[in-house]
Amino acid sequence: RSIIEIEPADQEAIYETAIQKEASKEEVSEYNRLAKKYNNMSKDEMVVEKQDMERLKYLYDKMSKSQRLTAESFPVIPPPPAPKALAADKPDLPPPPPPLPDNATKEATKKYKAQKLKKMEQKEAKLATVKADQTKSKLEKERAVLAKEKHAYAAEMKKNKAKLKEEKLRYAEERKAVNKERKGIHKAKKQELTELKRRHAEERKAVLAEAKNARIAAIKEESELRRTKLQEKRAVLAEIKEVKSAESNTAHVKRMTEKNALFFYEGKKIASKKALKLAQDNPDLHIQTRLGHDKTPKVYISKKPIVVKEND
């Protein structure tokens, strides 16, 4: 609630609005009700609602001149009362002594001065008492405020302590959950690593077994190939030996020359012509024919019996 003060000039402006819009019957009825309410109030104890005053002004401005003549008069709102002056907090001091007459005697003057001095002492004592009381009251108020603040601080500290305890419990629970989750993740990773190692070992074992089998197969194939070549070589040598036994050294050298054979005499390589001449000049020479790795015939000629190694 608030008291609205309307100046006389403003009231006159409200009453003398030039152009009006006619209000409805309901609005006129509402205006009469509000205006009658405030017109019946005592001017000394009038309390005006701001929204009522705004509504009254709106309805009054909307009414026509004929409607205003038949309606309640616009309420006159008195100015708000002035605030009451607060009594000064003055001490109850003793009154000063009456003034000294001009024709006073010395004894009266002395007595007057003594009374005046006594009054001043009483005044100072009273002022000191009042000041002490005020200081004491101020200290008590400050102590009360301090005690209140201390109590509020203690309550806040207690509340903060409880909150901190709750936060610690919540943090402990969260940490416990995190550790549990980490432990589960670590366990899962460990299991995954173990499984990975196992699969890797199995794969390595399979690769090694496959490599071993391939190596064995290659060795077998190589052995079979060597055996086949050796058999072929032995067959050719047998054929050469059989033919050689039926022919002379000269004929054998000629036949080997036709096959582009290599000739060796006493371990040294010689030409086919020299080999043929040696065979013709020395029919008793020892001649041994072997096949090389490239199946090229090698003819060894010597005066002594010939011992040829298998890999020659």
Side-chain angles (χ1 to χ4, degrees):
R1 294 184 176 184
S2 61
I3 299 174
I4 299 177
E5 181 180 356
I6 302 177
E7 299 293 335
D10 295 335
Q11 293 180 6
E12 187 177 354
I14 293 172
Y15 298 151
E16 296 179 357
T17 305
I19 301 173
Q20 301 292 336
K21 291 183 179 179
E22 188 170 343
S24 64
K25 291 182 179 181
E26 290 79 7
E27 290 175 333
V28 173
S29 177
E30 182 183 0
Y31 168 80
N32 288 332
R33 179 176 58 79
L34 291 173
K36 189 174 182 180
K37 171 185 174 182
Y38 288 105
N39 286 332
N40 292 336
M41 283 187 182
S42 173
K43 305 301 180 186
D44 297 332
E45 299 180 356
M46 181 179 287
V47 179
V48 181
E49 296 282 352
K50 183 179 179 181
Q51 58 184 6
D52 289 349
M53 198 62 206
E54 291 176 351
R55 185 64 177 168
L56 276 169
K57 288 175 66 177
Y58 169 75
L59 295 173
Y60 189 83
D61 291 342
K62 193 173 181 181
M63 290 164 60
S64 63
K65 289 184 179 181
S66 59
Q67 286 177 329
R68 290 179 185 177
L69 291 174
T70 58
E72 288 280 341
S73 61
F74 195 91
V76 178
I77 309 300
K84 295 180 180 180
L86 299 175
D89 188 10
K90 295 182 179 180
D92 188 12
L93 300 176
L100 189 68
D102 296 335
N103 57 351
T105 62
K106 289 183 178 181
E107 186 178 352
T109 302
K110 186 177 180 181
K111 188 177 180 181
Y112 174 79
K113 289 181 178 180
Q115 288 180 353
K116 188 175 182 181
L117 181 61
K118 186 178 180 180
K119 294 289 185 181
M120 289 179 65
E121 289 176 352
Q122 290 177 352
K123 182 178 180 180
E124 289 178 357
K126 187 69 175 178
L127 287 173
T129 304
V130 171
K131 189 174 182 181
D133 291 341
Q134 289 177 349
T135 305
K136 185 178 180 181
S137 177
K138 186 177 180 181
L139 286 174
E140 288 177 353
K141 288 181 180 178
E142 289 179 354
R143 285 174 182 171
V145 171
L146 185 61
K148 188 176 180 180
E149 290 178 353
K150 187 177 180 181
H151 180 71
Y153 177 74
E156 186 177 358
M157 287 296 293
K158 187 176 180 180
K159 185 178 179 181
N160 290 339
K161 191 175 181 180
K163 188 176 180 181
L164 181 62
K165 186 177 180 180
E166 184 180 351
E167 289 290 332
K168 283 184 177 180
L169 290 174
R170 185 177 62 81
Y171 176 75
E173 290 294 330
E174 290 179 356
R175 187 175 181 84
K176 187 177 179 181
V178 169
N179 290 336
K180 186 176 180 181
E181 184 179 358
R182 286 180 179 175
K183 190 175 180 181
I185 293 173
H186 180 70
K187 187 177 180 181
K189 285 186 176 180
K190 190 175 180 181
Q191 291 177 351
E192 184 179 355
L193 183 61
T194 303
E195 179 65 19
L196 186 64
K197 285 182 178 180
R198 186 187 64 78
R199 283 188 296 173
H200 181 70
E202 289 181 355
E203 290 176 359
R204 182 178 176 82
K205 187 177 179 180
V207 169
L208 290 175
E210 185 178 356
K212 184 178 179 181
N213 293 334
R215 181 65 179 167
I216 291 172
I219 291 172
K220 286 182 178 180
E221 184 178 356
E222 186 178 357
S223 299
E224 185 67 24
L225 183 62
R226 285 182 179 180
R227 189 174 63 81
T228 303
K229 287 182 178 181
L230 184 59
Q231 289 177 354
E232 292 177 354
K233 189 175 181 180
R234 286 176 178 174
V236 172
L237 289 175
E239 181 183 355
I240 292 172
K241 189 175 181 181
E242 183 180 354
V243 172
K244 184 178 177 298
S245 60
E247 64 183 357
S248 63
N249 289 342
T250 302
H252 181 70
V253 170
K254 286 182 179 180
R255 190 166 62 85
M256 290 296 106
T257 301
E258 293 174 357
K259 291 185 177 183
N260 297 321
L262 299 176
F263 296 92
F264 298 88
Y265 178 66
E266 300 297 346
K268 294 181 180 181
K269 189 176 181 181
I270 60 175
S272 58
K273 291 181 179 181
K274 186 176 181 179
L276 181 60
K277 189 173 185 309
L278 287 172
Q280 290 173 351
D281 294 343
N282 301 290
D284 296 329
L285 288 175
H286 297 279
I287 297 176
Q288 184 74 31
T289 302
R290 293 279 182 176
L291 288 178
H293 295 294
D294 55 353
K295 295 185 179 181
T296 301
K298 293 181 180 181
V299 181
Y300 297 91
I301 304 171
S302 178
K303 295 178 180 180
K304 298 178 181 180
I306 299 172
V307 178
V308 181
K309 295 181 181 179
E310 188 67 28
N311 57 355
D312 286 346

